Amino acid sequence: MDIAAEKKRLRALALGRRAAMGEAGRAAASRAAASHALAAAGAVQGRAVALFAPFRDEIDTAPLADALREAGAILALPVIIARDQPLLFRRWDQDTPLVPTGAFRIPEPGPEAPEIIPELLLVPLAAFDRRGFRIGYGAGFYDRTLALLRAQRPVRAIGFAFACQEVDQVPVETHDEPVDMMVTDIEAWAVGPRA
C-alpha cells in the first residue's frame, strides 16, 4: 500500500464529511465535544493545558477554553518556530492578543507571552481511528512535538475532533505518534497502550 496516498485519500474523505456538517452543525457539535473533553481532562486546576486555534472548519476550541479557564487551567496555544521543528507553546490568557501568523494565518500568542510546557495537549487532526492514530495536515508538527515531550516527561495527548472524522484504520508510519485519548462530539475514550 502507498501509505502517503492512502493518508491523502482518508484525509480528503474525513475533511469532506466535516465540511458537510455546516456551520450550525459544527458549532453545536463543538459545544458537545467541549463538555466531553472537560470531563475527560479530569482535574485541571493549576495544570498547563495546550489547545489549538481552529483552522478553517476545524472543531471550535473556544467553548472548551472557556470551561477550562473557569476550572482553573493555565492555557497555552502552539507556535510554529520552523517547518521541521517541534511546536512550542505560549501562555494564552483571556486578554492575550493573538496574531495571525504564517502561511495559513493561524492566530497565536506573540513572543511576549511566556513559553509553557503543557501537561495535557488537545491535538487537532483531519482523521482518526479507534486506536488513537491520527492523520494531520501533512507537516508532522504534532508528531515531532509529542515525541519530544514524551521523551522528557509524561504528557497526555487528547485528539479533539468531530465524530464524522473517524475512519476505519489510519495507516501507520514509524514517526506517527498516537494520542492517549479521543474526544468527539459524541463520546470520549482512552486508547490502548502504545506498542
Side-chain angles (χ1 to χ4, degrees):
M1 167 183 28
D2 180 345
I3 290 179
E6 180 63 1
K7 283 186 172 182
K8 183 177 181 180
R9 183 187 75 78
L10 291 171
R11 182 184 296 116
L13 174 70
L15 293 181
R17 289 183 198 149
R18 186 174 82 185
M21 291 176 71
E23 190 173 330
R26 285 190 298 273
S30 293
R31 289 189 299 275
S35 177
H36 294 303
L38 188 62
V44 295
Q45 174 75 38
R47 293 179 63 206
V49 179
L51 296 177
F52 56 89
F55 173 65
R56 294 188 183 145
D57 55 10
E58 273 183 332
I59 193 165
D60 187 3
T61 56
L64 179 56
D66 291 342
L68 287 168
R69 279 195 181 99
E70 191 172 309
I74 300 163
L75 299 187
L77 285 175
V79 175
I80 296 173
I81 300 304
R83 177 135 178 98
D84 294 324
Q85 296 296 311
L87 299 165
L88 69 81
F89 298 88
R90 293 197 185 279
R91 187 169 177 139
W92 177 39
D93 294 321
Q94 200 152 10
D95 58 350
T96 302
L98 298 180
V99 181
T101 307
F104 299 110
R105 312 299 293 155
I106 298 173
E108 56 187 48
E112 68 284 350
E115 187 175 337
I116 288 181
I117 298 175
E119 301 169 56
L120 178 66
L121 283 86
L122 277 287
V123 180
L125 52 90
F128 66 92
D129 67 20
R130 286 269 155 181
R131 303 170 303 157
F133 286 100
R134 55 181 281 284
I135 298 172
Y137 300 99
F141 286 115
Y142 276 90
D143 290 319
R144 282 189 295 279
T145 302
L146 287 172
L148 175 68
L149 291 174
R150 286 172 169 161
Q152 294 173 346
R153 60 185 243 189
V155 64
R156 262 177 79 208
I158 298 177
F160 192 56
F162 299 117
C164 68
Q165 294 173 249
E166 183 176 348
V167 297
D168 288 336
Q169 186 168 330
V170 169
V172 179
E173 298 175 87
T174 56
H175 66 271
D176 288 332
E177 290 283 332
V179 295
D180 303 297
M181 175 174 270
M182 272 302 309
V183 173
T184 72
D185 47 308
I186 295 176
E187 62 184 324
W189 69 94
V191 301
R194 293 186 297 278

